[in-house]
Amino acid sequence: MYIHNSIMNAHSMSSFSSYATQVHEEGYIILPKMSNYVLKSEIDTTFPISNVQQNVAQYILEKVDYFVKRGGGDLPCVGDSTTDEVFKYKDLEPLSRRVATWLITKGFRHGDTVLYSSHDGSKLHIFLLAVWRVGGIARASYPEDYGDELVERIKESHVKWILCDEPYVTNNLEAVREIPWDVHVIVAGLSNSNNNSTVPLHECFSLCDIFQIEAEDAKAAGHKSLLMSTVTATMNDIALILQTSGTTGKSKGAVYTHDRLLKNIVIFQQIPFTDEPRDPFLLTSRLTHFTGSVIPLAFFAANRRILISPKPTVNNILGDIIMHKARLLFRATEL
């Protein structure tokens, strides 16, 4: 079991595991071979290096598509240790496409900004892929922010979409009422069929329900042309805005273009972390921070398995390690 902190230098990255990823002289990245996880046939984990001119969504989905076609579609990709919800690699493309299509049918356009405070470990990064597939911008916001601070952040980025978790829906709806334009609130972990919820479901949308939208439903609604496999974002478009800590004054936004974000993803992608790609990697960083935002995306591209712990108390982490047999823990701050 490895415990790793986010403060890393080049030496620690390269020596962290002796099973380092190598770049083949013919232009292929060689990943460590998988063990007996796949019984019928060994998965070929060699894949061509992608065109560097891709945006983040294109890059990741190409890697996922290659992995699925080589037999990895049914392997677990990302999961939330709190809810035990897990998505497989074959789920990433269709789910992100459904969300992207739904966004456009609701008026989403290139350059629109989504404010996200959700810490739903299984769904968040699939949602971010959808936003980038339609050329949108994702801006992180701390879930505990509310009132004037949240209103100011919405106005600052002219936010039209918010993704939050159920406990914070009321705070977000109250902020939206102060905005002079339409802002759609999406709840990550709640279905509109849940009659026991106290959330005003008639004022927001459910990401769970959006995940269930089938292509035929969109076609019937006259949106056949929106079921796209291409994306509109360029390398110079803004992909992600993360909040700074605010230790030197008012919290500001750190801007990442697709080019800059992709370079960070590739760096994390090359770190093998463990000698077995199918062993779960436990991430306990906040998903509104840099490591919590970027590492899962890198693991998607590297075809590795990641388990996200949204409530990283000592007891929860120890329980996750024992239950899921995690081989490595990554945390950005002390417990």
Side-chain angles (χ1 to χ4, degrees):
M1 173 67 188
Y2 295 97
I3 299 179
H4 194 44
N5 190 276
S6 64
I7 302 176
M8 300 182 293
N9 55 36
H11 175 73
S12 64
M13 284 185 176
S14 61
S15 62
F16 186 69
S17 170
S18 60
Y19 222 117
T21 303
Q22 303 176 23
V23 179
H24 193 273
E25 60 182 2
E26 296 182 359
Y28 287 79
I29 298 175
I30 310 299
L31 296 180
K33 290 185 177 181
M34 299 178 185
S35 59
N36 296 324
Y37 192 94
V38 181
L39 300 179
K40 292 185 178 180
S41 62
E42 184 180 40
I43 296 176
D44 185 353
T45 53
T46 303
F47 55 85
I49 296 177
S50 295
N51 185 346
V52 295
Q53 294 303 311
Q54 293 172 309
N55 64 41
V56 172
Q58 287 173 313
Y59 178 82
I60 292 174
L61 290 174
E62 180 191 88
K63 292 290 184 287
V64 170
D65 179 64
Y66 189 89
F67 188 60
V68 170
K69 288 179 178 178
R70 303 295 290 182
D74 284 318
L75 295 179
C77 171
V78 60
D80 186 309
S81 66
T82 303
T83 63
D84 291 329
E85 182 178 46
V86 177
F87 290 104
K88 299 178 180 179
Y89 272 94
K90 66 181 181 181
D91 299 324
L92 298 190
E93 194 286 325
L95 289 180
S96 64
R97 175 163 34 87
R98 289 177 188 178
V99 176
T101 300
W102 182 88
L103 287 171
I104 290 184
T105 63
K106 296 298 182 181
F108 196 102
R109 295 295 180 265
H110 181 282
D112 279 358
T113 300
V114 174
L115 191 73
Y116 75 91
S117 60
S118 174
H119 277 68
D120 189 304
S122 56
K123 301 184 190 70
L124 173 61
H125 294 85
I126 299 176
F127 180 83
L128 295 182
L129 287 178
V131 171
W132 294 327
R133 290 187 75 164
V134 291
I137 302 169
R139 177 168 182 175
S141 179
Y142 300 136
E144 60 269 19
D145 291 345
Y146 65 96
D148 293 341
E149 188 173 10
L150 182 57
V151 170
E152 181 180 355
R153 194 164 296 155
I154 294 172
K155 291 182 176 180
E156 184 178 57
S157 293
H158 201 82
V159 169
K160 297 180 180 179
W161 310 81
I162 294 176
L163 177 71
C164 65
D165 294 324
E166 182 177 357
Y168 303 97
V169 171
T170 300
N171 289 344
N172 282 272
L173 288 175
E174 289 177 352
V176 165
R177 295 187 186 105
E178 303 296 323
I179 305 301
W181 60 83
D182 291 336
V183 180
H184 302 287
V185 176
I186 305 170
V187 189
L190 180 68
S191 172
N192 283 333
S193 60
N194 184 357
N195 296 324
N196 296 323
S197 174
T198 58
V199 172
L201 298 175
H202 63 283
E203 297 185 59
C204 53
F205 299 95
S206 162
L207 185 57
C208 292
D209 292 344
I210 297 171
F211 273 6
Q212 301 303 316
I213 296 175
E214 298 293 341
E216 290 73 16
D217 297 333
K219 290 179 182 179
H223 301 299
K224 181 177 181 180
S225 62
L226 300 177
L227 298 175
M228 65 299 175
S229 59
T230 59
V231 288
T232 56
T234 69
M235 295 295 287
N236 294 323
D237 283 341
I238 297 174
L240 184 65
I241 303 175
L242 297 176
Q243 292 300 113
T244 58
S245 63
T247 54
T248 59
K250 182 180 178 180
S251 178
K252 298 168 285 294
V255 176
Y256 293 83
T257 63
H258 280 269
D259 177 67
R260 184 181 176 192
L261 182 58
L262 185 54
K263 284 182 171 65
N264 282 281
I265 289 172
V266 171
I267 289 173
F268 277 105
Q269 182 186 342
Q270 303 309 311
I271 305 173
F273 290 111
T274 70
D275 58 359
E276 174 50 69
R278 301 274 40 95
D279 285 337
F281 168 90
L282 184 61
L283 179 68
T284 64
S285 299
R286 296 190 69 175
L287 302 186
T288 48
H289 287 179
F290 176 80
T291 51
S293 300
V294 176
I295 288 181
L297 298 171
F299 270 54
F300 290 179
N303 307 141
R304 290 175 173 270
R305 180 183 177 186
I306 190 164
L307 180 68
I308 297 175
S309 177
K311 300 178 180 179
T313 64
V314 173
N315 288 337
N316 287 347
I317 289 175
L318 291 176
D320 291 338
I321 292 171
I322 295 172
M323 178 178 294
H324 300 282
K325 297 180 174 59
R327 292 282 299 278
L328 185 139
L329 163 68
F330 190 103
R331 181 162 178 79
T333 57
E334 295 181 359
L335 291 171

Coordinates of all heavy atoms in Angstrom, one line a residue, residues 210-268:
I210 N -30.7 12.4 -16.8 CA -30.1 12.7 -18.1 C -29.3 11.5 -18.6 O -29.2 11.3 -19.8 CB -29.2 14.0 -18.0 CG1 -30.1 15.2 -17.6 CG2 -28.5 14.3 -19.3 CD1 -29.3 16.4 -17.2
F211 N -28.6 10.8 -17.7 CA -27.8 9.6 -18.1 C -28.7 8.6 -18.8 O -28.2 7.8 -19.5 CB -27.2 9.0 -16.9 CG -25.8 9.6 -16.5 CD1 -25.3 10.7 -17.2 CD2 -25.0 9.1 -15.5 CE1 -24.1 11.3 -16.9 CE2 -23.8 9.6 -15.2 CZ -23.3 10.7 -15.9
Q212 N -30.0 8.6 -18.4 CA -30.9 7.6 -18.9 C -31.5 7.9 -20.3 O -32.2 7.1 -20.9 CB -32.0 7.3 -17.9 CG -31.5 6.8 -16.6 CD -30.7 5.6 -16.7 OE1 -31.0 4.6 -17.4 NE2 -29.6 5.6 -15.9
I213 N -31.3 9.1 -20.8 CA -31.9 9.5 -22.0 C -31.3 8.7 -23.2 O -30.1 8.7 -23.3 CB -31.7 11.0 -22.3 CG1 -32.4 11.9 -21.2 CG2 -32.1 11.4 -23.7 CD1 -32.1 13.3 -21.3
E214 N -32.1 8.1 -24.0 CA -31.6 7.3 -25.1 C -31.6 8.2 -26.4 O -32.3 9.2 -26.5 CB -32.5 6.1 -25.3 CG -32.6 5.1 -24.1 CD -31.2 4.5 -23.9 OE1 -30.4 4.4 -24.8 OE2 -31.0 3.9 -22.8
A215 N -30.8 7.7 -27.3 CA -30.7 8.4 -28.6 C -32.0 8.5 -29.3 O -32.3 9.5 -29.9 CB -29.6 7.7 -29.5
E216 N -32.8 7.5 -29.2 CA -34.1 7.5 -29.9 C -35.0 8.6 -29.3 O -35.8 9.2 -30.1 CB -34.8 6.1 -29.7 CG -34.1 5.0 -30.5 CD -32.8 4.6 -29.9 OE1 -32.6 4.9 -28.7 OE2 -32.0 3.9 -30.6
D217 N -34.9 8.9 -28.0 CA -35.7 9.9 -27.4 C -35.4 11.3 -28.0 O -36.2 12.1 -28.3 CB -35.6 9.9 -25.9 CG -36.1 8.6 -25.3 OD1 -36.9 8.0 -25.9 OD2 -35.6 8.3 -24.2
A218 N -34.1 11.5 -28.1 CA -33.6 12.8 -28.7 C -34.0 12.9 -30.1 O -34.4 14.0 -30.6 CB -32.1 12.9 -28.5
K219 N -33.9 11.8 -30.9 CA -34.4 11.9 -32.3 C -35.8 12.2 -32.4 O -36.3 13.0 -33.2 CB -34.1 10.5 -33.0 CG -32.6 10.3 -33.2 CD -32.4 8.9 -33.8 CE -30.9 8.6 -34.0 NZ -30.7 7.2 -34.6
A220 N -36.6 11.6 -31.5 CA -38.1 11.8 -31.6 C -38.4 13.3 -31.3 O -39.4 13.8 -31.7 CB -38.8 10.9 -30.6
A221 N -37.5 13.9 -30.5 CA -37.7 15.3 -30.1 C -37.2 16.3 -31.2 O -37.2 17.5 -31.0 CB -37.1 15.6 -28.8
G222 N -36.7 15.7 -32.3 CA -36.2 16.5 -33.4 C -34.8 17.0 -33.3 O -34.4 18.0 -33.8
H223 N -34.0 16.3 -32.5 CA -32.6 16.7 -32.2 C -31.6 15.7 -32.8 O -30.5 15.5 -32.3 CB -32.4 16.8 -30.7 CG -33.3 17.8 -30.1 ND1 -33.3 19.2 -30.4 CD2 -34.2 17.7 -29.1 CE1 -34.2 19.8 -29.7 NE2 -34.8 18.9 -28.9
K224 N -32.0 15.1 -33.9 CA -31.1 14.1 -34.5 C -29.7 14.7 -34.9 O -28.7 14.0 -34.7 CB -31.7 13.5 -35.8 CG -30.9 12.4 -36.5 CD -31.6 11.8 -37.6 CE -30.8 10.8 -38.3 NZ -31.5 10.2 -39.5
S225 N -29.7 15.9 -35.3 CA -28.5 16.5 -35.8 C -27.5 16.8 -34.6 O -26.4 17.1 -34.8 CB -28.7 17.8 -36.5 OG -29.4 18.7 -35.7
L226 N -28.1 16.8 -33.4 CA -27.3 17.1 -32.2 C -26.6 16.0 -31.6 O -25.8 16.1 -30.7 CB -28.2 17.8 -31.2 CG -28.9 19.1 -31.6 CD1 -29.8 19.5 -30.5 CD2 -27.9 20.1 -32.0
L227 N -26.9 14.8 -32.1 CA -26.2 13.6 -31.6 C -24.8 13.4 -32.2 O -24.6 12.6 -33.1 CB -27.1 12.3 -31.8 CG -28.4 12.4 -31.1 CD1 -29.2 11.2 -31.5 CD2 -28.2 12.4 -29.6
M228 N -23.9 14.3 -31.8 CA -22.7 14.4 -32.5 C -21.6 13.6 -31.9 O -21.6 13.3 -30.7 CB -22.2 15.9 -32.6 CG -21.9 16.5 -31.2 SD -23.4 16.5 -30.1 CE -22.6 17.1 -28.6
S229 N -20.6 13.2 -32.7 CA -19.4 12.6 -32.1 C -18.2 13.5 -32.2 O -17.1 13.2 -31.7 CB -19.1 11.3 -33.0 OG -18.9 11.7 -34.3
T230 N -18.4 14.7 -32.8 CA -17.3 15.6 -32.8 C -17.5 16.7 -31.8 O -18.5 16.8 -31.1 CB -17.3 16.3 -34.2 OG1 -18.5 17.0 -34.4 CG2 -17.0 15.3 -35.3
V231 N -16.4 17.5 -31.5 CA -16.4 18.5 -30.5 C -16.0 19.8 -31.2 O -15.4 19.8 -32.2 CB -15.5 18.2 -29.4 CG1 -16.1 17.1 -28.5 CG2 -14.1 17.8 -29.8
T232 N -16.4 20.9 -30.6 CA -16.1 22.2 -31.2 C -15.0 23.0 -30.5 O -14.5 24.0 -31.0 CB -17.4 23.1 -31.2 OG1 -17.9 23.2 -29.8 CG2 -18.5 22.5 -32.0
A233 N -14.6 22.6 -29.3 CA -13.6 23.3 -28.6 C -12.2 23.2 -29.3 O -11.8 22.1 -29.8 CB -13.5 22.8 -27.2
T234 N -11.4 24.3 -29.3 CA -10.1 24.3 -29.8 C -9.1 24.2 -28.7 O -9.4 24.4 -27.5 CB -9.8 25.5 -30.7 OG1 -9.8 26.7 -29.8 CG2 -11.0 25.7 -31.7
M235 N -7.8 24.1 -29.1 CA -6.8 24.0 -28.0 C -6.6 25.3 -27.2 O -6.2 25.2 -26.1 CB -5.4 23.6 -28.7 CG -5.4 22.2 -29.4 SD -5.6 20.9 -28.2 CE -4.0 21.0 -27.4
N236 N -7.0 26.4 -27.8 CA -6.8 27.7 -27.1 C -8.1 28.1 -26.4 O -8.0 29.1 -25.7 CB -6.4 28.7 -28.2 CG -5.1 28.5 -28.8 OD1 -4.1 28.1 -28.1 ND2 -4.9 28.8 -30.0
D237 N -9.1 27.3 -26.5 CA -10.3 27.6 -25.7 C -10.1 27.3 -24.3 O -9.4 26.4 -23.9 CB -11.5 26.8 -26.3 CG -12.1 27.4 -27.5 OD1 -11.8 28.5 -27.9 OD2 -12.8 26.6 -28.2
I238 N -10.8 28.1 -23.4 CA -10.8 27.8 -22.0 C -11.5 26.5 -21.7 O -12.7 26.3 -22.1 CB -11.3 28.9 -21.1 CG1 -10.5 30.2 -21.4 CG2 -11.4 28.6 -19.7 CD1 -11.1 31.4 -20.7
A239 N -10.9 25.6 -20.9 CA -11.6 24.4 -20.5 C -12.0 24.4 -19.1 O -13.1 23.9 -18.7 CB -10.6 23.2 -20.8
L240 N -11.1 24.9 -18.2 CA -11.3 24.7 -16.8 C -10.9 26.0 -16.0 O -9.8 26.5 -16.3 CB -10.5 23.5 -16.3 CG -10.7 23.1 -14.8 CD1 -12.1 22.6 -14.5 CD2 -9.7 21.9 -14.5
I241 N -11.7 26.4 -15.0 CA -11.3 27.5 -14.1 C -11.4 26.9 -12.7 O -12.5 26.5 -12.3 CB -12.2 28.7 -14.3 CG1 -12.2 29.2 -15.8 CG2 -11.7 29.8 -13.4 CD1 -13.1 30.3 -16.1
L242 N -10.3 26.9 -12.0 CA -10.3 26.4 -10.6 C -10.1 27.6 -9.6 O -9.3 28.5 -9.9 CB -9.1 25.4 -10.4 CG -9.2 24.2 -11.3 CD1 -8.0 23.3 -11.1 CD2 -10.5 23.4 -10.9
Q243 N -10.7 27.5 -8.5 CA -10.5 28.5 -7.5 C -9.2 28.4 -6.8 O -8.6 27.3 -6.6 CB -11.6 28.3 -6.4 CG -13.0 28.6 -6.8 CD -13.2 30.0 -7.3 OE1 -13.4 30.2 -8.5 NE2 -13.1 31.0 -6.4
T244 N -8.6 29.6 -6.5 CA -7.3 29.6 -5.7 C -7.7 29.5 -4.3 O -8.9 29.7 -3.9 CB -6.5 30.9 -6.0 OG1 -7.3 32.0 -5.8 CG2 -6.1 30.9 -7.5
S245 N -6.7 29.3 -3.4 CA -7.0 29.1 -2.0 C -7.5 30.4 -1.3 O -8.2 30.3 -0.3 CB -5.7 28.6 -1.3 OG -4.7 29.6 -1.4
G246 N -7.1 31.6 -1.8 CA -7.5 32.8 -1.1 C -6.7 33.2 0.1 O -7.1 34.1 0.8
T247 N -5.5 32.5 0.2 CA -4.7 32.8 1.4 C -4.0 34.2 1.3 O -3.6 34.8 2.3 CB -3.6 31.8 1.5 OG1 -2.9 31.7 0.3 CG2 -4.2 30.4 1.9
T248 N -3.9 34.8 0.1 CA -3.3 36.1 -0.1 C -4.3 37.1 -0.4 O -4.0 38.2 -0.9 CB -2.2 36.0 -1.2 OG1 -2.8 35.6 -2.4 CG2 -1.1 35.1 -0.8
G249 N -5.6 36.8 -0.2 CA -6.6 37.8 -0.5 C -7.8 37.1 -1.1 O -8.0 35.9 -0.8
K250 N -8.6 37.8 -1.8 CA -9.8 37.2 -2.4 C -9.5 36.0 -3.4 O -8.6 36.1 -4.1 CB -10.6 38.3 -3.2 CG -11.9 37.8 -3.8 CD -12.6 38.9 -4.5 CE -13.9 38.4 -5.1 NZ -14.6 39.5 -5.9
S251 N -10.3 34.9 -3.2 CA -10.0 33.8 -4.1 C -10.2 34.2 -5.6 O -11.2 34.9 -5.9 CB -11.0 32.7 -3.7 OG -10.8 31.6 -4.6
K252 N -9.3 33.8 -6.4 CA -9.4 34.1 -7.8 C -9.5 32.8 -8.6 O -9.4 31.7 -8.1 CB -8.1 34.8 -8.2 CG -7.9 36.2 -7.5 CD -6.5 36.8 -7.7 CE -5.5 36.0 -6.8 NZ -5.7 36.2 -5.4
G253 N -9.6 32.9 -9.9 CA -9.8 31.8 -10.8 C -8.5 31.5 -11.6 O -8.0 32.4 -12.2
A254 N -8.0 30.3 -11.5 CA -6.9 29.9 -12.3 C -7.4 29.2 -13.6 O -8.1 28.3 -13.5 CB -6.0 28.8 -11.5
V255 N -7.0 29.8 -14.7 CA -7.6 29.4 -16.0 C -6.7 28.4 -16.7 O -5.5 28.6 -16.8 CB -7.7 30.7 -16.9 CG1 -8.2 30.3 -18.3 CG2 -8.7 31.7 -16.3
Y256 N -7.3 27.3 -17.2 CA -6.6 26.3 -18.0 C -7.3 26.2 -19.3 O -8.5 25.9 -19.4 CB -6.7 24.9 -17.3 CG -5.9 24.8 -16.0 CD1 -6.5 25.3 -14.8 CD2 -4.7 24.3 -15.9 CE1 -5.8 25.3 -13.6 CE2 -4.0 24.3 -14.7 CZ -4.5 24.7 -13.6 OH -3.9 24.7 -12.4
T257 N -6.5 26.4 -20.4 CA -7.0 26.2 -21.7 C -6.9 24.7 -22.0 O -6.3 23.9 -21.2 CB -6.1 26.9 -22.8 OG1 -4.8 26.3 -22.7 CG2 -6.1 28.4 -22.5
H258 N -7.5 24.2 -23.0 CA -7.5 22.8 -23.4 C -6.0 22.3 -23.5 O -5.6 21.2 -23.1 CB -8.2 22.5 -24.6 CG -9.7 22.4 -24.4 ND1 -10.4 21.2 -24.1 CD2 -10.7 23.3 -24.4 CE1 -11.6 21.4 -23.9 NE2 -11.9 22.7 -24.1
D259 N -5.2 23.2 -24.1 CA -3.8 22.8 -24.3 C -3.1 22.7 -23.0 O -2.4 21.7 -22.8 CB -3.1 23.9 -25.2 CG -1.6 23.7 -25.4 OD1 -1.3 22.7 -26.1 OD2 -0.8 24.5 -24.8
R260 N -3.3 23.6 -22.1 CA -2.6 23.5 -20.8 C -3.1 22.4 -20.0 O -2.3 21.7 -19.3 CB -2.8 24.9 -20.1 CG -2.0 25.0 -18.7 CD -2.3 26.3 -18.1 NE -1.7 26.4 -16.7 CZ -2.0 27.3 -15.9 NH1 -2.8 28.3 -16.2 NH2 -1.4 27.3 -14.7
L261 N -4.4 22.2 -20.0 CA -5.0 21.1 -19.2 C -4.5 19.8 -19.7 O -4.2 18.9 -18.9 CB -6.5 21.2 -19.2 CG -7.3 20.2 -18.4 CD1 -6.9 20.2 -16.9 CD2 -8.8 20.4 -18.5
L262 N -4.5 19.6 -21.0 CA -4.1 18.4 -21.6 C -2.6 18.0 -21.3 O -2.3 16.9 -21.1 CB -4.3 18.4 -23.2 CG -4.0 17.1 -23.9 CD1 -4.8 16.0 -23.4 CD2 -4.3 17.3 -25.4
K263 N -1.8 19.0 -21.3 CA -0.4 18.8 -20.9 C -0.3 18.2 -19.5 O 0.5 17.3 -19.2 CB 0.4 20.1 -21.0 CG 0.8 20.5 -22.4 CD 1.6 21.8 -22.5 CE 2.2 22.1 -23.9 NZ 1.1 22.4 -24.8
N264 N -1.1 18.8 -18.6 CA -1.1 18.2 -17.2 C -1.7 16.8 -17.1 O -1.2 16.0 -16.4 CB -1.9 19.2 -16.3 CG -1.2 20.4 -15.9 OD1 -0.3 20.4 -15.0 ND2 -1.4 21.5 -16.6
I265 N -2.7 16.6 -17.9 CA -3.3 15.2 -18.0 C -2.2 14.2 -18.4 O -2.1 13.1 -17.9 CB -4.5 15.2 -18.9 CG1 -5.7 16.0 -18.2 CG2 -4.9 13.8 -19.2 CD1 -6.9 16.2 -19.1
V266 N -1.5 14.5 -19.5 CA -0.5 13.6 -20.0 C 0.6 13.3 -19.0 O 1.1 12.2 -18.9 CB 0.1 14.2 -21.3 CG1 1.3 13.4 -21.8 CG2 -1.0 14.2 -22.4
I267 N 1.0 14.4 -18.3 CA 2.0 14.2 -17.2 C 1.5 13.1 -16.2 O 2.2 12.2 -15.9 CB 2.4 15.5 -16.5 CG1 3.1 16.4 -17.5 CG2 3.2 15.2 -15.3 CD1 3.4 17.8 -16.9
F268 N 0.3 13.3 -15.7 CA -0.2 12.4 -14.7 C -0.5 11.0 -15.3 O -0.3 10.0 -14.7 CB -1.5 12.9 -14.1 CG -1.3 13.9 -13.0 CD1 -1.5 15.2 -13.2 CD2 -0.9 13.4 -11.7 CE1 -1.4 16.1 -12.1 CE2 -0.8 14.3 -10.7 CZ -1.0 15.7 -10.9

